[in-house]
Amino acid sequence: MSEERFYQLISRKLAGEASVIELDELECYVRAYPDKKKLYDLLIQAPVDNDKGILKAEQAYALHQLKLQLQQPAHSKIPVSRKRFWNNHKTKSYILIAATIVMVIAAFLTFKTELIIPARIEVAATKGSITNIKLPDGSTVWLNSDSKITYRNNFGYGHRELRLTGEAFFDVKHDPKTPFIIHTDKINIKVLGTAFNVKSYPSDNYVETSLIRGKIDVNFTDRPSEHITLRPREKLTVNKDQTKGTITSLLSGDTGSKIRLENVTTLSKGDSIVAETAWLQNKIVFDNTSFSEIAGVLERRFDIKVKFKNEKYKLYYYTGIFQQESLREILDLMKITKPFNYEINKKVVTIN
Amino acid sequence: MQLKSFQIRELQEAVALERSETAYKVLFVQLYQSAISFTTTITKNEEVAEELYADAMMKLWFMESKLTDIKDLKLYIFILLKNSALNYLKKERKQRFVSIDDIDRGDVPQTRSVEESLVFNELENMLAQVIDKLPSKCQIVYKLIKHEGFSYKHTAEILGLSVNTIEGHMSNALKKIGTFLKSLNLKD
């Protein structure tokens, strides 16, 4: 048998295309030439399973599921309201006229605004709500309560830069030519196409960023030359009062450091849900979190103000996951593990 | 674990008719590696491959009950991915037309990182590296047949090539791998 024929027969066997006669021919050949046996076995053996791939797939699914959930309500609403509206021919023509006028004005403005500074666009999520925005470049941003982003109206044309106050989850469209840059108070994050969470509330004393997939590069507003690259499922926390030279201590694993690099927190072992992005699914997650930090989360979520009568409560630590619970239910559950009293008076909660 | 075609059919129906998220997740996770590997060989970019796969799966979810009309879901997904991957190349290279014959241009993808290589045993690892170095078309054909269990006909359908060409690429891939293995001087 020629070498060509040998490989052709193996090819047919693997594709399930070989006839009985051909299979026989191959078998006889291998039996006649034992030195070909090992080679034959290696070529024919089934590929090995890779557990690492499954883990990666599970992570990818966690993100996919989020996107799916956020798209769902919009899709199920369309048939009821929007269809009837569109079927009305009169409305349709009015909309077309309106659209034409808008386009003419837009074209006019585009020519004019080239000469002046581009206008800034601001999108905000109020306390107690989460907002989903599609940016002009196709990237998606989910804004958590009491957060906002601002960007110039030419975003997506030659630049992709925005400023964030508060917390947001970004799913960035891949575009190697135009880096996506997020500016916060203390750090700037540069992305090429990835999904990650940034937390930078003015009231917190730290900035935090967690990466779900892809690769991001973080530098400091006050010293742009120093930067850190994050790999998937890593979290970077930067205290706002950090000073020069602390990056080195971060790599040596010093826990007292003002800059910390660690893995993201998963809710339970083997779970694909990441604590840092649980807010996207309307979950509140505390993982050994101090009451003073919890107060901030509750204030944003329920649009309330929390006051501590006694400072010692601020140092109570709690762990737990809440989904649908009301403010009262959450406080009552917290009371069970470590007792305190509270009073709710309109929008003010007093802990005593 | 490779899903058998009847299992895919069952999951497909659970997604289409019962809107089962569990079934959908199994499909997503189990087809992930194959789909990403296939799409990355065309796009030369794993992140883009991940995006295209997510888009394709999103599309399937919103087909709702129409999803049952698809006769061979795995074949359908691979055809979908090939088309969107070529579309991506078209935009990337600013060409009006891109076919599967054009994919050997451009950079060789780094599909396996160092840490990942350590997971495999030595021979497995070397074999994987030889496969990674095959010309893209050979590599795709080899993986579709050997790893995914597609027939010549289905592989031809996915790539838009003739059955004879597929057999040529497959024999060629095996020959190259065989030559490499022989050079290692295999003993039992």
Side-chain angles (χ1 to χ4, degrees), chain A residues 168-197:
Chain A
F169 182 81
F170 294 87
D171 189 9
V172 176
K173 247 270 115 46
H174 187 85
D175 178 3
K177 284 177 206 98
T178 326
F180 192 103
I181 301 170
I182 296 151
H183 300 281
T184 73
D185 236 18
K186 279 286 154 199
I187 56 174
N188 305 312
I189 299 156
K190 192 168 143 190
V191 197
L192 291 175
T194 192
F196 60 96
N197 196 62

Side-chain angles (χ1 to χ4, degrees), chain B residues 138-156:
Chain B
C138 265
Q139 198 185 128
I140 291 176
V141 170
Y142 177 82
K143 285 183 182 166
L144 285 177
I145 291 173
K146 176 101 192 258
H147 297 188
E148 307 311 325
F150 282 117
S151 64
Y152 282 173
K153 187 171 157 270
H154 282 168
T155 310

Side-chain angles (χ1 to χ4, degrees), chain B residues 22 31 43 51 68 77 90 142-143 166 186:
Chain B
T22 325
L31 295 175
T43 60
E51 259 175 48
T68 50
I77 293 172
K90 206 157 75 179
Y142 177 82
K143 285 183 182 166
I166 297 298
L186 292 166

Side-chain angles (χ1 to χ4, degrees), chain B residues 102-142:
Chain B
D102 300 323
I103 61 172
D104 270 322
R105 281 183 33 197
D107 308 321
V108 179
Q110 278 296 332
T111 41
R112 222 168 296 271
S113 67
V114 181
E115 296 106 295
E116 266 174 290
S117 302
L118 294 174
V119 178
F120 289 90
N121 68 45
E122 207 182 343
L123 181 66
E124 216 61 71
N125 183 19
M126 283 192 288
L127 199 59
Q129 279 181 15
V130 177
I131 295 168
D132 276 351
K133 284 201 186 80
L134 290 175
S136 301
K137 257 189 293 175
C138 265
Q139 198 185 128
I140 291 176
V141 170
Y142 177 82

Side-chain angles (χ1 to χ4, degrees), chain A residues 227-240:
Chain A
H227 66 96
I228 301 171
T229 303
L230 256 71
R231 287 183 308 185
R233 292 176 89 72
E234 281 181 348
K235 172 171 90 172
L236 178 75
T237 312
V238 178
N239 273 32
K240 286 186 182 164

